[in-house]
Amino acid sequence: MAISTVPLHHIIGHFSYSRREREYHHGYSRGHEWSPTPRSTYRLKPINASVETPPFPLFQPPPLQESPSQLEPADPDFYKIGYVRSMRAYGIEFKEGPDGFGVYASKDVEPLRRARIIMEIPLELMLTVRQKLPWMFFPDIVPIGHPIFDIINSTNPETDWDLRLACLLLYAFDRDDNFWQLYGDFLPNTDECTSLLFATEDDLSQLQDLDLASTMRKQQLRALEFWEKNWHSGVPLKIKRLARDPERFIWAVSMAQSRCINMQIRIGALVQDANMLIPYADMLNHSFQPNCFLHWRFKDRMVEVMINAGQRIKKGDEMTINYLSGQQNHMFMQRYGFSSSVNPWDLIAFSGNAHIHLDSFLSVFNIAGLPDEYHYNSGDNFVNGAVIAAARTLPTWSDGDVPAIPSMERKAVKELREECQQMLAQFPTTSEQDQKLLDSIPEPRKTLETAIKYRLHRKLFIEKVIQALEIYRERILF
């Protein structure tokens, strides 16, 4: 079998949430008071992070093929509201399965030397705001003198991009005949949202990560204080009705954080960095090894979703993009509300003096390249993102052509394994206990489920590093 080389920096997770399909204008439209629990016509599960079954066999065992009954096509209205406004999709279909909504190939795609377009989304459907002053909106839906602009203008240009985008989203829901009044019916409500902005103190304690819990408390307080400052009793009705309670505003912030796409766009002669909410493209799930990317087509103001050049796609494959490059799980949790046990950029903080021989470790698992762009050259199903991350996080040594010294390597592997075991022993629960708890969580407790998955993935990651060290010891030292 020919050796294949795959760059790792580009395996699978996702910020979409499970959703419930609703009647249109259930509360996002003007004149309706918003309720966190909208009326349901029939139930759709939320779009959850697809981190359990990566689609690339080089990094994970081949996933089981889902039966047709596990994936249901999206409601026809989901396409219609975009198609009448010039959104186009080619060779794909939006489906919902056990892990939520996603975009799937409707036909085989042979590898081409050029990238292939699968979606075109016009600027008029998006919500965008320039990242820096002066604020510019495309399309410019905020009229001169509207008080929502004063609220947006009061934000910190360096840190408050999500607050600005949340305000713009709420205003779009309130504007007559705006596309987002319809598209909002396919967004998750507060019960379905996995964002830790809705986490209770009990949920945050379940993270078993003091730093992340502290960060999320600050994020929650920041959003609440912003709402209290700008939605007080004296504000005009046109502002008050956008977010009559803090839960509504926090929901909008969670949508902004989890669905924002940062792009550099060119409009005429103006080139600018923008925070963008791009409908339909936000249904693409995350992968550390994506098969698609986004491109701005300036000549007619479109965002194109394109298949990577040379990428072979089979009918039924999920189309994915990379949300954050080179980030650890706590960053994905903070912004998107999901984590992965095979994140190739996760780290373990070792405190001992033990080091293993880097070149020997890499050769055992057929890993080549530099830490910023490791390549994997084998079909061994054991090697996935966690093993790639181990190559980055394990304390190593390398001295030119000096080979590994077996006695030193044995001692180092033993010390590193013991330190990993000590890390696992510090957790109050085991991975087996976490899995049993996950299986018993009631359906509405999405933030609790998210928190337990995070701590479970941390333990699974450490366990995988222990296994990698044991394989290294067996293959090289004996």
Side-chain angles (χ1 to χ4, degrees):
M1 183 176 68
I3 292 176
S4 59
T5 302
V6 180
L8 188 81
H9 68 278
H10 276 276
I11 299 182
I12 176 167
H14 134 3
F15 78 85
S16 340
Y17 305 101
S18 25
R19 322 184 154 136
R20 181 171 297 144
E21 196 157 343
R22 309 167 180 82
E23 298 174 0
Y24 286 152
H25 312 300
H26 61 69
Y28 296 123
S29 307
R30 180 190 298 268
H32 290 72
E33 183 169 350
W34 177 82
S35 170
T37 309
R39 299 168 302 187
S40 300
T41 54
Y42 53 92
R43 179 170 181 74
L44 290 177
K45 290 183 181 290
I47 303 176
N48 293 322
S50 308
V51 296
E52 304 301 337
T53 53
F56 287 85
L58 289 179
F59 296 92
Q60 285 286 342
L64 296 176
Q65 293 292 325
E66 295 195 75
S67 66
S69 61
Q70 291 180 295
L71 292 174
E72 298 180 359
D75 187 278
D77 285 339
F78 182 66
Y79 297 88
K80 183 178 179 180
I81 61 175
Y83 263 64
V84 297
R85 294 168 176 83
S86 301
M87 177 271 176
R88 292 294 182 265
Y90 310 101
I92 61 168
E93 50 192 343
F94 297 89
K95 289 186 175 183
E96 186 197 20
D99 292 325
F101 235 131
V103 183
Y104 298 85
S106 60
K107 62 181 181 180
D108 293 342
V109 177
E110 294 301 317
L112 298 177
R113 297 180 64 181
R114 299 178 59 185
R116 176 175 295 185
I117 298 173
I118 59 171
M119 266 195 272
E120 295 174 324
I121 304 106
L123 178 65
E124 288 71 26
L125 297 190
M126 307 173 204
L127 294 176
T128 74
V129 57
R130 190 170 185 262
Q131 291 184 9
K132 299 179 181 179
L133 287 167
W135 309 128
M136 301 181 70
F137 310 100
F138 294 98
D140 190 4
I141 65 172
V142 180
I144 297 176
H146 196 285
I148 195 65
F149 179 79
D150 295 329
I151 296 177
I152 292 175
N153 201 40
S154 69
T155 60
N156 186 322
E158 301 297 326
T159 60
D160 293 343
W161 62 271
D162 53 341
L163 301 181
R164 291 190 290 273
L165 207 54
C167 291
L168 194 59
L169 179 62
L170 291 171
Y171 175 73
F173 288 149
D174 187 62
R175 183 171 175 176
D176 286 337
D177 301 322
N178 187 272
F179 167 77
W180 283 83
Q181 289 182 338
L182 303 178
Y183 194 76
D185 290 328
F186 297 91
L187 299 178
N189 62 28
T190 54
D191 290 335
E192 300 163 335
C193 188
T194 59
S195 172
L196 293 183
L197 290 174
F198 288 105
T200 63
E201 275 299 316
D202 179 59
D203 296 338
L204 294 178
S205 67
Q206 296 293 340
L207 289 169
Q208 297 178 4
D209 185 330
L210 297 179
D211 292 337
L212 179 58
S214 176
T215 298
M216 293 315 304
R217 290 189 190 96
K218 293 177 182 177
Q219 290 283 333
Q220 291 173 341
L221 181 61
R222 167 176 167 263
L224 179 59
E225 290 179 343
F226 187 84
W227 178 84
E228 291 175 342
K229 175 184 175 182
N230 295 288
W231 270 267
H232 53 80
S233 58
V235 300
L237 179 60
K238 62 174 67 176
I239 292 295
K240 182 178 295 186
R241 69 186 178 212
L242 301 184
R244 294 184 180 274
D245 54 65
E247 188 179 54
R248 170 65 165 166
F249 181 73
I250 293 173
W251 173 86
V253 174
S254 73
M255 292 298 101
Q257 289 185 355
S258 62
R259 295 174 181 270
C260 174
I261 297 173
N262 301 325
M263 292 187 69
Q264 187 174 82
I265 63 176
R266 173 182 167 189
I267 299 179
L270 178 64
V271 178
Q272 66 175 24
D273 294 319
N275 301 123
M276 312 174 71
L277 291 177
I278 307 176
Y280 299 100
D282 64 1
M283 297 295 180
L284 289 159
N285 289 340
H286 166 77
S287 171
F288 296 112
Q289 189 78 32
N291 51 21
C292 295
F293 66 96
L294 305 181
H295 173 258
W296 173 254
R297 194 170 76 201
F298 74 92
K299 65 179 180 180
D300 51 0
R301 300 182 180 186
M302 291 269 188
V303 164
E304 300 173 323
V305 181
M306 309 185 78
I307 299 175
N308 295 334
Q311 185 87 48
R312 182 185 299 275
I313 304 293
K314 294 183 179 179
K315 182 179 179 179
D317 284 352
E318 185 169 13
M319 317 307 287
T320 57
I321 59 175
N322 192 351
Y323 293 169
L324 293 174
S325 179
Q327 295 293 336
Q328 300 176 45
N329 272 344
H330 69 88
M331 291 302 298
F332 283 95
M333 283 295 298
Q334 182 177 325
R335 180 165 172 181
Y336 299 109
F338 74 83
S339 59
S340 170
S341 61
V342 295
N343 183 344
W345 296 96
D346 230 4
L347 297 175
I348 298 177
F350 289 95
S351 59
N353 297 320
H355 291 72
I356 60 173
H357 190 256
L358 175 60
D359 294 337
S360 298
F361 183 84
L362 295 178
S363 65
V364 162
F365 297 105
N366 292 296
I367 300 171
L370 300 174
D372 288 341
E373 191 172 352
Y374 274 134
H375 299 263
Y376 173 54
N377 303 308
S378 176
D380 186 351
N381 288 332
F382 175 80
V383 180
N384 60 15
V387 178
I388 300 291
R392 293 191 174 100
T393 191
L394 285 169
T396 59
W397 66 275
S398 182
D399 188 9
D401 296 329
V402 177
I405 303 173
S407 59
M408 293 179 60
E409 294 297 294
R410 278 195 292 268
K411 181 179 179 181
V413 167
K414 180 181 178 182
E415 291 181 12
L416 291 173
R417 289 180 71 254
E418 288 176 350
E419 186 166 359
C420 287
Q421 295 286 5
Q422 291 172 4
M423 293 177 188
L424 290 175
Q426 291 175 358
F427 288 104
T429 57
T430 65
S431 56
E432 291 80 8
Q433 290 172 329
D434 287 345
Q435 188 59 60
K436 290 180 180 179
L437 185 56
L438 271 177
D439 296 337
S440 65
I441 295 177
E443 180 68 23
R445 298 295 305 277
K446 289 300 175 184
T447 52
L448 177 60
E449 179 182 340
T450 298
I452 296 176
K453 279 185 177 180
Y454 173 72
R455 78 190 198 197
L456 172 61
H457 290 157
R458 293 170 66 200
K459 296 164 191 173
L460 292 176
F461 174 68
I462 297 174
E463 290 173 358
K464 193 61 174 274
V465 173
I466 293 174
Q467 291 175 331
L469 286 169
E470 186 61 28
I471 291 175
Y472 170 62
R473 182 183 67 85
E474 292 174 353
R475 293 184 182 178
I476 284 292
L477 305 178
F478 296 98

